[in-house]
Amino acid sequence: MTAPVPPPVSPDDFRALLRSRKVWDVELPAFRPAQAPAAPLPLFHAWFADAVAAGQPEPHTMGLATVAEDGGPDVRTVMLHDADEHGWHFASHASSAKGRQLAARPEAALHFYWAAQGRQIRVRGPVTTAPHREALADLHVRSTGALAAALVGRQSEVLGTSEELARSSDAAWERAQAEPDADAPTWTLYVLEPLEVEFFQGDARRRHVRLRYRRDAGAADGGWVRELLWP
């Protein structure tokens, strides 16, 4: 049974829907940059914990922007795997579109948006790949579904039919359940080393607070310069 086709929406109805949406219809927290830590990582950890406590859906998802083969921008949503002293971690197939883009130009930007508190975080910097054993260790502690998806592979390739995907997925699930330590040769763990990290706190009167950490080897505070930005 096929799904019903949704009714068309006129341009006027679309604009009315768009303009009637509220922004930050919640009580927004205060952010005092003067009290922020010297480095961005502790603040990211604290804001992430705040987002979880505030009930933000999927706070571990983020936008990943890369440079496409034609030189233009490309972006998609991926999952954060870790954030530590080495950088922000995410994973994908080296053979995927983003994997090829990162191989050609190993730099990227990340974007988190946590509407529950009117907060955004932007991260920019070069990207490196972790050893394959670390990628597999990260993959094997995740769900069976994550391993199955990695075993299917062929990410970003043209798909002939949905039946072909179903067959490959079923086979991958069977293998993931039978071999929880199975290898996924193209599965790659990437680490973005931050050069800039910006924390944005929305304000109901549009007096948004923006604090940018900028890497500077000559800076006194652990290599980071902190700057306020106009909203």
PDB file of all heavy atoms in Angstrom, residues 42-79:
ATOM      1  N   PRO A  42      35.727  22.969  27.938  1.00  0.00           N
ATOM      2  CA  PRO A  42      34.897  22.863  29.151  1.00  0.00           C
ATOM      3  C   PRO A  42      33.541  23.551  28.997  1.00  0.00           C
ATOM      4  O   PRO A  42      32.532  23.057  29.521  1.00  0.00           O
ATOM      5  CB  PRO A  42      35.752  23.536  30.225  1.00  0.00           C
ATOM      6  CG  PRO A  42      37.155  23.436  29.731  1.00  0.00           C
ATOM      7  CD  PRO A  42      37.045  23.565  28.242  1.00  0.00           C
ATOM      8  N   LEU A  43      33.500  24.660  28.260  1.00  0.00           N
ATOM      9  CA  LEU A  43      32.223  25.346  28.063  1.00  0.00           C
ATOM     10  C   LEU A  43      31.314  24.520  27.161  1.00  0.00           C
ATOM     11  O   LEU A  43      30.105  24.442  27.397  1.00  0.00           O
ATOM     12  CB  LEU A  43      32.462  26.734  27.464  1.00  0.00           C
ATOM     13  CG  LEU A  43      31.220  27.619  27.304  1.00  0.00           C
ATOM     14  CD1 LEU A  43      30.484  27.798  28.624  1.00  0.00           C
ATOM     15  CD2 LEU A  43      31.615  28.980  26.722  1.00  0.00           C
ATOM     16  N   PHE A  44      31.879  23.886  26.148  1.00  0.00           N
ATOM     17  CA  PHE A  44      31.073  23.008  25.294  1.00  0.00           C
ATOM     18  C   PHE A  44      30.473  21.872  26.112  1.00  0.00           C
ATOM     19  O   PHE A  44      29.286  21.555  25.986  1.00  0.00           O
ATOM     20  CB  PHE A  44      31.906  22.444  24.147  1.00  0.00           C
ATOM     21  CG  PHE A  44      31.134  21.489  23.283  1.00  0.00           C
ATOM     22  CD1 PHE A  44      30.300  21.951  22.277  1.00  0.00           C
ATOM     23  CD2 PHE A  44      31.214  20.111  23.491  1.00  0.00           C
ATOM     24  CE1 PHE A  44      29.564  21.068  21.489  1.00  0.00           C
ATOM     25  CE2 PHE A  44      30.488  19.228  22.711  1.00  0.00           C
ATOM     26  CZ  PHE A  44      29.661  19.711  21.708  1.00  0.00           C
ATOM     27  N   HIS A  45      31.279  21.235  26.941  1.00  0.00           N
ATOM     28  CA  HIS A  45      30.773  20.150  27.782  1.00  0.00           C
ATOM     29  C   HIS A  45      29.639  20.646  28.680  1.00  0.00           C
ATOM     30  O   HIS A  45      28.614  19.956  28.845  1.00  0.00           O
ATOM     31  CB  HIS A  45      31.909  19.583  28.640  1.00  0.00           C
ATOM     32  CG  HIS A  45      32.891  18.755  27.875  1.00  0.00           C
ATOM     33  ND1 HIS A  45      34.130  18.425  28.371  1.00  0.00           N
ATOM     34  CD2 HIS A  45      32.826  18.177  26.642  1.00  0.00           C
ATOM     35  CE1 HIS A  45      34.782  17.690  27.487  1.00  0.00           C
ATOM     36  NE2 HIS A  45      34.018  17.533  26.431  1.00  0.00           N
ATOM     37  N   ALA A  46      29.807  21.822  29.267  1.00  0.00           N
ATOM     38  CA  ALA A  46      28.786  22.365  30.165  1.00  0.00           C
ATOM     39  C   ALA A  46      27.503  22.689  29.399  1.00  0.00           C
ATOM     40  O   ALA A  46      26.394  22.371  29.865  1.00  0.00           O
ATOM     41  CB  ALA A  46      29.312  23.609  30.874  1.00  0.00           C
ATOM     42  N   TRP A  47      27.631  23.306  28.235  1.00  0.00           N
ATOM     43  CA  TRP A  47      26.445  23.642  27.438  1.00  0.00           C
ATOM     44  C   TRP A  47      25.745  22.385  26.932  1.00  0.00           C
ATOM     45  O   TRP A  47      24.518  22.344  26.844  1.00  0.00           O
ATOM     46  CB  TRP A  47      26.834  24.550  26.270  1.00  0.00           C
ATOM     47  CG  TRP A  47      26.877  26.005  26.634  1.00  0.00           C
ATOM     48  CD1 TRP A  47      27.165  26.535  27.854  1.00  0.00           C
ATOM     49  CD2 TRP A  47      26.611  27.110  25.763  1.00  0.00           C
ATOM     50  NE1 TRP A  47      27.113  27.906  27.792  1.00  0.00           N
ATOM     51  CE2 TRP A  47      26.779  28.290  26.536  1.00  0.00           C
ATOM     52  CE3 TRP A  47      26.286  27.224  24.419  1.00  0.00           C
ATOM     53  CZ2 TRP A  47      26.600  29.565  25.977  1.00  0.00           C
ATOM     54  CZ3 TRP A  47      26.111  28.490  23.873  1.00  0.00           C
ATOM     55  CH2 TRP A  47      26.255  29.642  24.644  1.00  0.00           C
ATOM     56  N   PHE A  48      26.514  21.359  26.602  1.00  0.00           N
ATOM     57  CA  PHE A  48      25.901  20.104  26.168  1.00  0.00           C
ATOM     58  C   PHE A  48      25.076  19.507  27.306  1.00  0.00           C
ATOM     59  O   PHE A  48      23.933  19.068  27.095  1.00  0.00           O
ATOM     60  CB  PHE A  48      26.972  19.115  25.715  1.00  0.00           C
ATOM     61  CG  PHE A  48      26.419  17.838  25.153  1.00  0.00           C
ATOM     62  CD1 PHE A  48      26.089  17.730  23.813  1.00  0.00           C
ATOM     63  CD2 PHE A  48      26.203  16.726  25.977  1.00  0.00           C
ATOM     64  CE1 PHE A  48      25.562  16.561  23.288  1.00  0.00           C
ATOM     65  CE2 PHE A  48      25.670  15.557  25.472  1.00  0.00           C
ATOM     66  CZ  PHE A  48      25.349  15.478  24.116  1.00  0.00           C
ATOM     67  N   ALA A  49      25.647  19.489  28.509  1.00  0.00           N
ATOM     68  CA  ALA A  49      24.908  18.972  29.665  1.00  0.00           C
ATOM     69  C   ALA A  49      23.652  19.801  29.921  1.00  0.00           C
ATOM     70  O   ALA A  49      22.588  19.256  30.252  1.00  0.00           O
ATOM     71  CB  ALA A  49      25.805  18.962  30.904  1.00  0.00           C
ATOM     72  N   ASP A  50      23.746  21.122  29.744  1.00  0.00           N
ATOM     73  CA  ASP A  50      22.579  21.987  29.903  1.00  0.00           C
ATOM     74  C   ASP A  50      21.508  21.642  28.873  1.00  0.00           C
ATOM     75  O   ASP A  50      20.311  21.638  29.186  1.00  0.00           O
ATOM     76  CB  ASP A  50      22.974  23.454  29.747  1.00  0.00           C
ATOM     77  CG  ASP A  50      23.787  23.985  30.919  1.00  0.00           C
ATOM     78  OD1 ASP A  50      23.830  23.318  31.965  1.00  0.00           O
ATOM     79  OD2 ASP A  50      24.375  25.074  30.769  1.00  0.00           O
ATOM     80  N   ALA A  51      21.924  21.387  27.636  1.00  0.00           N
ATOM     81  CA  ALA A  51      20.968  21.063  26.574  1.00  0.00           C
ATOM     82  C   ALA A  51      20.239  19.759  26.880  1.00  0.00           C
ATOM     83  O   ALA A  51      19.023  19.647  26.673  1.00  0.00           O
ATOM     84  CB  ALA A  51      21.693  20.968  25.230  1.00  0.00           C
ATOM     85  N   VAL A  52      20.975  18.775  27.372  1.00  0.00           N
ATOM     86  CA  VAL A  52      20.347  17.504  27.754  1.00  0.00           C
ATOM     87  C   VAL A  52      19.343  17.732  28.875  1.00  0.00           C
ATOM     88  O   VAL A  52      18.205  17.243  28.831  1.00  0.00           O
ATOM     89  CB  VAL A  52      21.417  16.476  28.171  1.00  0.00           C
ATOM     90  CG1 VAL A  52      20.761  15.222  28.740  1.00  0.00           C
ATOM     91  CG2 VAL A  52      22.302  16.112  26.980  1.00  0.00           C
ATOM     92  N   ALA A  53      19.736  18.499  29.891  1.00  0.00           N
ATOM     93  CA  ALA A  53      18.858  18.768  31.031  1.00  0.00           C
ATOM     94  C   ALA A  53      17.613  19.547  30.605  1.00  0.00           C
ATOM     95  O   ALA A  53      16.539  19.384  31.202  1.00  0.00           O
ATOM     96  CB  ALA A  53      19.618  19.530  32.109  1.00  0.00           C
ATOM     97  N   ALA A  54      17.747  20.390  29.569  1.00  0.00           N
ATOM     98  CA  ALA A  54      16.618  21.192  29.090  1.00  0.00           C
ATOM     99  C   ALA A  54      15.691  20.413  28.171  1.00  0.00           C
ATOM    100  O   ALA A  54      14.681  20.946  27.714  1.00  0.00           O
ATOM    101  CB  ALA A  54      17.133  22.435  28.373  1.00  0.00           C
ATOM    102  N   GLY A  55      16.033  19.143  27.881  1.00  0.00           N
ATOM    103  CA  GLY A  55      15.187  18.319  27.029  1.00  0.00           C
ATOM    104  C   GLY A  55      15.380  18.550  25.547  1.00  0.00           C
ATOM    105  O   GLY A  55      14.498  18.201  24.737  1.00  0.00           O
ATOM    106  N   GLN A  56      16.528  19.106  25.146  1.00  0.00           N
ATOM    107  CA  GLN A  56      16.789  19.323  23.730  1.00  0.00           C
ATOM    108  C   GLN A  56      16.858  17.985  22.990  1.00  0.00           C
ATOM    109  O   GLN A  56      17.670  17.127  23.332  1.00  0.00           O
ATOM    110  CB  GLN A  56      18.114  20.071  23.547  1.00  0.00           C
ATOM    111  CG  GLN A  56      18.573  20.192  22.103  1.00  0.00           C
ATOM    112  CD  GLN A  56      17.626  21.009  21.260  1.00  0.00           C
ATOM    113  OE1 GLN A  56      17.223  22.092  21.669  1.00  0.00           O
ATOM    114  NE2 GLN A  56      17.266  20.508  20.091  1.00  0.00           N
ATOM    115  N   PRO A  57      16.001  17.761  21.971  1.00  0.00           N
ATOM    116  CA  PRO A  57      16.070  16.506  21.211  1.00  0.00           C
ATOM    117  C   PRO A  57      17.402  16.389  20.464  1.00  0.00           C
ATOM    118  O   PRO A  57      17.866  17.350  19.847  1.00  0.00           O
ATOM    119  CB  PRO A  57      14.895  16.604  20.231  1.00  0.00           C
ATOM    120  CG  PRO A  57      13.986  17.636  20.812  1.00  0.00           C
ATOM    121  CD  PRO A  57      14.873  18.606  21.521  1.00  0.00           C
ATOM    122  N   GLU A  58      18.008  15.244  20.558  1.00  0.00           N
ATOM    123  CA  GLU A  58      19.214  14.894  19.810  1.00  0.00           C
ATOM    124  C   GLU A  58      20.283  15.995  19.847  1.00  0.00           C
ATOM    125  O   GLU A  58      20.732  16.482  18.807  1.00  0.00           O
ATOM    126  CB  GLU A  58      18.857  14.562  18.366  1.00  0.00           C
ATOM    127  CG  GLU A  58      17.898  13.384  18.251  1.00  0.00           C
ATOM    128  CD  GLU A  58      17.603  12.992  16.814  1.00  0.00           C
ATOM    129  OE1 GLU A  58      18.066  13.692  15.892  1.00  0.00           O
ATOM    130  OE2 GLU A  58      16.905  11.983  16.616  1.00  0.00           O
ATOM    131  N   PRO A  59      20.719  16.402  21.032  1.00  0.00           N
ATOM    132  CA  PRO A  59      21.745  17.448  21.090  1.00  0.00           C
ATOM    133  C   PRO A  59      23.087  17.000  20.534  1.00  0.00           C
ATOM    134  O   PRO A  59      23.969  17.842  20.296  1.00  0.00           O
ATOM    135  CB  PRO A  59      21.843  17.747  22.582  1.00  0.00           C
ATOM    136  CG  PRO A  59      21.430  16.478  23.255  1.00  0.00           C
ATOM    137  CD  PRO A  59      20.348  15.907  22.371  1.00  0.00           C
ATOM    138  N   HIS A  60      23.261  15.704  20.323  1.00  0.00           N
ATOM    139  CA  HIS A  60      24.525  15.188  19.801  1.00  0.00           C
ATOM    140  C   HIS A  60      24.576  15.188  18.280  1.00  0.00           C
ATOM    141  O   HIS A  60      25.563  14.708  17.698  1.00  0.00           O
ATOM    142  CB  HIS A  60      24.773  13.778  20.332  1.00  0.00           C
ATOM    143  CG  HIS A  60      23.691  12.799  20.027  1.00  0.00           C
ATOM    144  ND1 HIS A  60      22.358  13.082  20.153  1.00  0.00           N
ATOM    145  CD2 HIS A  60      23.749  11.511  19.593  1.00  0.00           C
ATOM    146  CE1 HIS A  60      21.635  12.032  19.809  1.00  0.00           C
ATOM    147  NE2 HIS A  60      22.465  11.058  19.462  1.00  0.00           N
ATOM    148  N   THR A  61      23.533  15.699  17.618  1.00  0.00           N
ATOM    149  CA  THR A  61      23.592  15.838  16.159  1.00  0.00           C
ATOM    150  C   THR A  61      24.087  17.234  15.819  1.00  0.00           C
ATOM    151  O   THR A  61      23.868  18.195  16.550  1.00  0.00           O
ATOM    152  CB  THR A  61      22.229  15.588  15.512  1.00  0.00           C
ATOM    153  OG1 THR A  61      21.262  16.490  16.067  1.00  0.00           O
ATOM    154  CG2 THR A  61      21.782  14.161  15.739  1.00  0.00           C
ATOM    155  N   MET A  62      24.740  17.343  14.663  1.00  0.00           N
ATOM    156  CA  MET A  62      25.365  18.623  14.296  1.00  0.00           C
ATOM    157  C   MET A  62      25.456  18.716  12.785  1.00  0.00           C
ATOM    158  O   MET A  62      25.499  17.716  12.068  1.00  0.00           O
ATOM    159  CB  MET A  62      26.765  18.715  14.905  1.00  0.00           C
ATOM    160  CG  MET A  62      27.712  17.611  14.448  1.00  0.00           C
ATOM    161  SD  MET A  62      29.275  17.594  15.348  1.00  0.00           S
ATOM    162  CE  MET A  62      30.114  16.214  14.525  1.00  0.00           C
ATOM    163  N   GLY A  63      25.491  19.939  12.295  1.00  0.00           N
ATOM    164  CA  GLY A  63      25.748  20.160  10.884  1.00  0.00           C
ATOM    165  C   GLY A  63      27.239  20.059  10.614  1.00  0.00           C
ATOM    166  O   GLY A  63      28.056  20.584  11.379  1.00  0.00           O
ATOM    167  N   LEU A  64      27.599  19.364   9.534  1.00  0.00           N
ATOM    168  CA  LEU A  64      28.998  19.236   9.114  1.00  0.00           C
ATOM    169  C   LEU A  64      29.126  19.842   7.721  1.00  0.00           C
ATOM    170  O   LEU A  64      28.523  19.352   6.773  1.00  0.00           O
ATOM    171  CB  LEU A  64      29.423  17.766   9.092  1.00  0.00           C
ATOM    172  CG  LEU A  64      30.742  17.453   8.373  1.00  0.00           C
ATOM    173  CD1 LEU A  64      31.924  18.071   9.117  1.00  0.00           C
ATOM    174  CD2 LEU A  64      30.928  15.945   8.208  1.00  0.00           C
ATOM    175  N   ALA A  65      29.894  20.915   7.616  1.00  0.00           N
ATOM    176  CA  ALA A  65      30.108  21.589   6.339  1.00  0.00           C
ATOM    177  C   ALA A  65      31.500  21.278   5.818  1.00  0.00           C
ATOM    178  O   ALA A  65      32.485  21.366   6.554  1.00  0.00           O
ATOM    179  CB  ALA A  65      29.926  23.095   6.490  1.00  0.00           C
ATOM    180  N   THR A  66      31.548  20.906   4.541  1.00  0.00           N
ATOM    181  CA  THR A  66      32.810  20.604   3.879  1.00  0.00           C
ATOM    182  C   THR A  66      32.850  21.340   2.545  1.00  0.00           C
ATOM    183  O   THR A  66      31.877  21.986   2.140  1.00  0.00           O
ATOM    184  CB  THR A  66      32.944  19.088   3.623  1.00  0.00           C
ATOM    185  OG1 THR A  66      31.768  18.618   2.934  1.00  0.00           O
ATOM    186  CG2 THR A  66      33.083  18.319   4.934  1.00  0.00           C
ATOM    187  N   VAL A  67      33.966  21.222   1.839  1.00  0.00           N
ATOM    188  CA  VAL A  67      34.112  21.830   0.520  1.00  0.00           C
ATOM    189  C   VAL A  67      33.929  20.736  -0.525  1.00  0.00           C
ATOM    190  O   VAL A  67      34.650  19.730  -0.519  1.00  0.00           O
ATOM    191  CB  VAL A  67      35.491  22.493   0.369  1.00  0.00           C
ATOM    192  CG1 VAL A  67      35.625  23.132  -1.011  1.00  0.00           C
ATOM    193  CG2 VAL A  67      35.695  23.538   1.457  1.00  0.00           C
ATOM    194  N   ALA A  68      32.966  20.931  -1.428  1.00  0.00           N
ATOM    195  CA  ALA A  68      32.665  19.932  -2.458  1.00  0.00           C
ATOM    196  C   ALA A  68      33.733  19.936  -3.550  1.00  0.00           C
ATOM    197  O   ALA A  68      34.588  20.834  -3.621  1.00  0.00           O
ATOM    198  CB  ALA A  68      31.294  20.207  -3.061  1.00  0.00           C
ATOM    199  N   GLU A  69      33.651  18.929  -4.398  1.00  0.00           N
ATOM    200  CA  GLU A  69      34.646  18.775  -5.458  1.00  0.00           C
ATOM    201  C   GLU A  69      34.683  19.967  -6.404  1.00  0.00           C
ATOM    202  O   GLU A  69      35.730  20.297  -6.970  1.00  0.00           O
ATOM    203  CB  GLU A  69      34.371  17.488  -6.254  1.00  0.00           C
ATOM    204  CG  GLU A  69      34.697  16.197  -5.499  1.00  0.00           C
ATOM    205  CD  GLU A  69      33.550  15.725  -4.602  1.00  0.00           C
ATOM    206  OE1 GLU A  69      32.629  16.520  -4.329  1.00  0.00           O
ATOM    207  OE2 GLU A  69      33.589  14.549  -4.178  1.00  0.00           O
ATOM    208  N   ASP A  70      33.544  20.640  -6.589  1.00  0.00           N
ATOM    209  CA  ASP A  70      33.500  21.794  -7.487  1.00  0.00           C
ATOM    210  C   ASP A  70      33.885  23.097  -6.796  1.00  0.00           C
ATOM    211  O   ASP A  70      33.783  24.175  -7.386  1.00  0.00           O
ATOM    212  CB  ASP A  70      32.113  21.928  -8.123  1.00  0.00           C
ATOM    213  CG  ASP A  70      31.006  22.132  -7.081  1.00  0.00           C
ATOM    214  OD1 ASP A  70      31.322  22.234  -5.879  1.00  0.00           O
ATOM    215  OD2 ASP A  70      29.834  22.174  -7.483  1.00  0.00           O
ATOM    216  N   GLY A  71      34.311  23.009  -5.531  1.00  0.00           N
ATOM    217  CA  GLY A  71      34.723  24.186  -4.798  1.00  0.00           C
ATOM    218  C   GLY A  71      33.625  24.855  -4.011  1.00  0.00           C
ATOM    219  O   GLY A  71      33.878  25.806  -3.264  1.00  0.00           O
ATOM    220  N   GLY A  72      32.388  24.397  -4.174  1.00  0.00           N
ATOM    221  CA  GLY A  72      31.269  24.973  -3.455  1.00  0.00           C
ATOM    222  C   GLY A  72      31.083  24.337  -2.097  1.00  0.00           C
ATOM    223  O   GLY A  72      31.719  23.332  -1.765  1.00  0.00           O
ATOM    224  N   PRO A  73      30.200  24.907  -1.273  1.00  0.00           N
ATOM    225  CA  PRO A  73      29.956  24.346   0.061  1.00  0.00           C
ATOM    226  C   PRO A  73      29.049  23.131  -0.001  1.00  0.00           C
ATOM    227  O   PRO A  73      28.243  22.977  -0.925  1.00  0.00           O
ATOM    228  CB  PRO A  73      29.273  25.507   0.792  1.00  0.00           C
ATOM    229  CG  PRO A  73      28.562  26.257  -0.293  1.00  0.00           C
ATOM    230  CD  PRO A  73      29.436  26.146  -1.504  1.00  0.00           C
ATOM    231  N   ASP A  74      29.160  22.268   0.993  1.00  0.00           N
ATOM    232  CA  ASP A  74      28.288  21.107   1.137  1.00  0.00           C
ATOM    233  C   ASP A  74      28.046  20.914   2.635  1.00  0.00           C
ATOM    234  O   ASP A  74      28.933  21.179   3.449  1.00  0.00           O
ATOM    235  CB  ASP A  74      28.941  19.857   0.543  1.00  0.00           C
ATOM    236  CG  ASP A  74      27.925  18.811   0.128  1.00  0.00           C
ATOM    237  OD1 ASP A  74      26.718  19.016   0.393  1.00  0.00           O
ATOM    238  OD2 ASP A  74      28.322  17.785  -0.458  1.00  0.00           O
ATOM    239  N   VAL A  75      26.863  20.470   2.998  1.00  0.00           N
ATOM    240  CA  VAL A  75      26.537  20.346   4.421  1.00  0.00           C
ATOM    241  C   VAL A  75      25.561  19.202   4.615  1.00  0.00           C
ATOM    242  O   VAL A  75      24.765  18.883   3.719  1.00  0.00           O
ATOM    243  CB  VAL A  75      25.953  21.672   4.974  1.00  0.00           C
ATOM    244  CG1 VAL A  75      24.591  21.980   4.367  1.00  0.00           C
ATOM    245  CG2 VAL A  75      25.878  21.659   6.496  1.00  0.00           C
ATOM    246  N   ARG A  76      25.619  18.563   5.788  1.00  0.00           N
ATOM    247  CA  ARG A  76      24.700  17.491   6.155  1.00  0.00           C
ATOM    248  C   ARG A  76      24.716  17.373   7.679  1.00  0.00           C
ATOM    249  O   ARG A  76      25.564  17.965   8.353  1.00  0.00           O
ATOM    250  CB  ARG A  76      25.075  16.153   5.522  1.00  0.00           C
ATOM    251  CG  ARG A  76      26.283  15.459   6.116  1.00  0.00           C
ATOM    252  CD  ARG A  76      27.592  16.113   5.770  1.00  0.00           C
ATOM    253  NE  ARG A  76      27.928  15.926   4.368  1.00  0.00           N
ATOM    254  CZ  ARG A  76      28.825  16.660   3.732  1.00  0.00           C
ATOM    255  NH1 ARG A  76      29.473  17.624   4.370  1.00  0.00           N
ATOM    256  NH2 ARG A  76      29.115  16.422   2.477  1.00  0.00           N
ATOM    257  N   THR A  77      23.780  16.611   8.224  1.00  0.00           N
ATOM    258  CA  THR A  77      23.721  16.392   9.668  1.00  0.00           C
ATOM    259  C   THR A  77      24.384  15.069  10.005  1.00  0.00           C
ATOM    260  O   THR A  77      24.084  14.041   9.380  1.00  0.00           O
ATOM    261  CB  THR A  77      22.267  16.387  10.157  1.00  0.00           C
ATOM    262  OG1 THR A  77      21.665  17.656   9.866  1.00  0.00           O
ATOM    263  CG2 THR A  77      22.205  16.150  11.660  1.00  0.00           C
ATOM    264  N   VAL A  78      25.286  15.080  10.971  1.00  0.00           N
ATOM    265  CA  VAL A  78      25.966  13.870  11.424  1.00  0.00           C
ATOM    266  C   VAL A  78      25.913  13.828  12.952  1.00  0.00           C
ATOM    267  O   VAL A  78      25.443  14.765  13.596  1.00  0.00           O
ATOM    268  CB  VAL A  78      27.428  13.815  10.932  1.00  0.00           C
ATOM    269  CG1 VAL A  78      27.488  13.798   9.420  1.00  0.00           C
ATOM    270  CG2 VAL A  78      28.228  14.992  11.488  1.00  0.00           C
ATOM    271  N   MET A  79      26.424  12.755  13.511  1.00  0.00           N
ATOM    272  CA  MET A  79      26.413  12.573  14.962  1.00  0.00           C
ATOM    273  C   MET A  79      27.791  12.840  15.553  1.00  0.00           C
ATOM    274  O   MET A  79      28.808  12.407  15.004  1.00  0.00           O
ATOM    275  CB  MET A  79      25.975  11.142  15.305  1.00  0.00           C
ATOM    276  CG  MET A  79      25.833  10.870  16.794  1.00  0.00           C
ATOM    277  SD  MET A  79      25.341   9.159  17.130  1.00  0.00           S
ATOM    278  CE  MET A  79      23.738   9.111  16.335  1.00  0.00           C
TER     279      MET A  79
END
